[in-house]
Amino acid sequence: MAHADWSVSPGKRWLALAVLQDDGCYLGYAPQPVGEAQTLLHRLRGLAKPQGCVLVGFDFPIGLPLAYAHRAGIQGFLAALRQLGQGVWAQFYQPAQKAEEISLYRPFYPAKPGHARQKHLLEGLGVRSMDDLRRRCERAHVGRRPAFPLFWTLGGQQVGKAAISGWRQVLTTQGELLPGVSLWPFCGTLHHLLRAGRVVVVETYPAEYYSWLGVRFSPRRPGARVGKRQQDERAANASVLLAWAEAAGVNLHESLRQAILDGFGASPQGEDAFDAVIGLFGMLEVVLQRRPLTEPQDEAIRNVEGWILGQSWI
């Protein structure tokens, strides 16, 4: 199992791994830089035993909002993924620089900060609200604010540009899905997909996994840097993370244990390494059946929008 905390910047992409041992328990390792994005899935497959498989999570969106897909004539995400960036979709991955450049074939906006307004995006794509540009799994629910919409490229999370790099550099090569790689839930149920020799890709949301694991940060204060960006805040959650691992029966390599106790170091990349591990632990919560797995039944979600692993709200 692997989880990648993704970013537009290659230096902020971190990967956490856990390997199933002969005793039936997972062993987690300290996070490491992702390295070459184009070879990541191939490298992960090489780490598995011949009869093993790989489950890998990414925290960038995998899927398209239904309202947009309907207007663009898209009936399935997998089929669209093979066409994006080519033909009439040649400019799909190029964020519009001006409002008048926004179209169904060029939906990301803006290319850079300036005088961009969300209403420009709504008008350009012919929808009424930003919720129309959110997939169902991204909308607000009890205990969670709405996620940033896919096509709006401003904001701290930069999900739009992260999705562009992830779809182009990881999920596809020359417009085609990599051999032996399946995307959940588009290709089937998780139980069906986890087969020998396969690499199964799922979408994750570490910010939602915090509450599952008991992670808490100090209340925000005006002008103060708090939360996961601070090493002492990350280190303050060491006891709950170690307690979770013990309760879940997940063994930790000493390097990972020390990283957790140290708050993942003082460098700016510490928050990325932290979220890589949070994402991995959240995936293990589902795989170890400590949290129910919701398999979307709605055809539009399964084929177009996709789903976040472990999210139960529909």
Side-chain angles (χ1 to χ4, degrees):
M1 290 182 59
H3 180 263
D5 184 68
W6 205 252
S7 172
V8 177
S9 170
K12 289 180 64 62
R13 299 171 185 168
W14 283 75
L15 184 75
L17 299 171
V19 179
L20 187 62
Q21 305 296 294
D22 292 339
D23 62 1
C25 296
Y26 280 94
L27 175 62
Y29 293 89
Q32 57 189 287
V34 163
E36 185 69 30
Q38 289 86 347
T39 65
L40 175 59
L41 298 183
H42 177 73
R43 285 184 282 120
L44 288 175
R45 180 66 193 91
L47 294 176
K49 296 179 180 179
Q51 295 304 310
C53 62
V54 178
L55 180 65
V56 54
F58 294 94
D59 64 345
F60 55 72
I62 303 177
L64 292 164
L66 193 59
Y68 163 80
H70 280 165
R71 292 189 57 80
I74 294 172
Q75 298 181 338
F77 176 66
L78 291 182
L81 198 57
R82 296 182 175 96
Q83 301 176 44
L84 301 179
Q86 305 175 62
V88 296
W89 301 96
Q91 292 185 302
F92 180 85
Y93 291 123
Q94 301 173 23
Q97 300 191 41
K98 298 180 290 186
E100 53 266 33
E101 294 176 344
I102 302 169
S103 74
L104 294 174
Y105 299 107
R106 193 179 183 183
F108 290 95
Y109 176 78
K112 57 185 179 180
H115 300 289
R117 299 290 183 270
Q118 290 186 352
K119 72 173 185 178
H120 299 160
L121 189 61
L122 300 180
E123 292 170 355
L125 298 181
V127 296
R128 293 178 296 180
S129 74
M130 292 302 281
D131 253 358
D132 289 331
L133 298 180
R134 290 186 175 95
R135 298 170 298 149
R136 199 176 308 182
C137 61
E138 295 169 332
R139 296 182 181 179
H141 61 83
V142 177
R144 198 197 77 185
R145 296 177 298 177
F148 279 75
L150 171 65
F151 297 131
W152 180 248
T153 61
L154 297 183
Q157 295 180 340
Q158 292 283 295
V159 295
K161 291 182 178 178
I164 290 173
S165 69
W167 295 4
R168 299 183 77 182
Q169 297 176 16
V170 180
L171 301 186
T172 62
T173 177
Q174 297 181 340
E176 290 295 327
L177 287 174
L178 299 174
V181 174
S182 300
L183 305 188
W184 177 84
F186 306 100
C187 296
T189 65
L190 195 61
H191 177 76
H192 172 75
L193 295 177
L194 291 174
R195 293 287 185 268
R198 304 294 297 180
V199 175
V200 181
V201 174
V202 298
E203 180 181 346
T204 64
Y205 196 17
E208 185 159 343
Y209 298 169
Y210 291 163
S211 61
W212 303 1
L213 305 173
V215 171
R216 298 286 187 274
F217 298 115
S218 300
R220 291 185 177 276
R221 301 185 303 276
R225 287 172 57 87
V226 296
K228 68 176 182 177
R229 293 185 177 182
Q230 294 293 97
Q231 181 183 6
D232 60 346
E233 290 279 344
R234 299 190 297 265
N237 283 284
S239 60
V240 297
L241 293 178
L242 296 178
W244 173 87
E246 182 175 1
V250 175
N251 297 319
L252 305 180
H253 189 274
E254 187 59 24
S255 60
L256 176 54
R257 183 178 298 275
Q258 289 303 316
I260 291 173
L261 290 170
D262 186 48
F264 296 87
S267 77
Q269 287 74 42
E271 63 173 306
D272 309 306
F274 176 80
D275 267 351
V277 171
I278 294 297
L280 178 67
F281 285 5
M283 292 171 64
L284 284 164
E285 272 279 284
V286 177
V287 170
L288 296 175
Q289 300 182 349
R290 291 169 53 86
R291 185 175 184 86
L293 169 64
T294 298
E295 296 275 9
Q297 302 302 310
D298 189 312
E299 183 177 355
I301 293 177
R302 292 200 314 269
N303 295 335
V304 179
E305 289 203 333
W307 198 247
I308 294 170
L309 185 73
Q311 184 168 298
S312 58
W313 174 84
I314 294 185

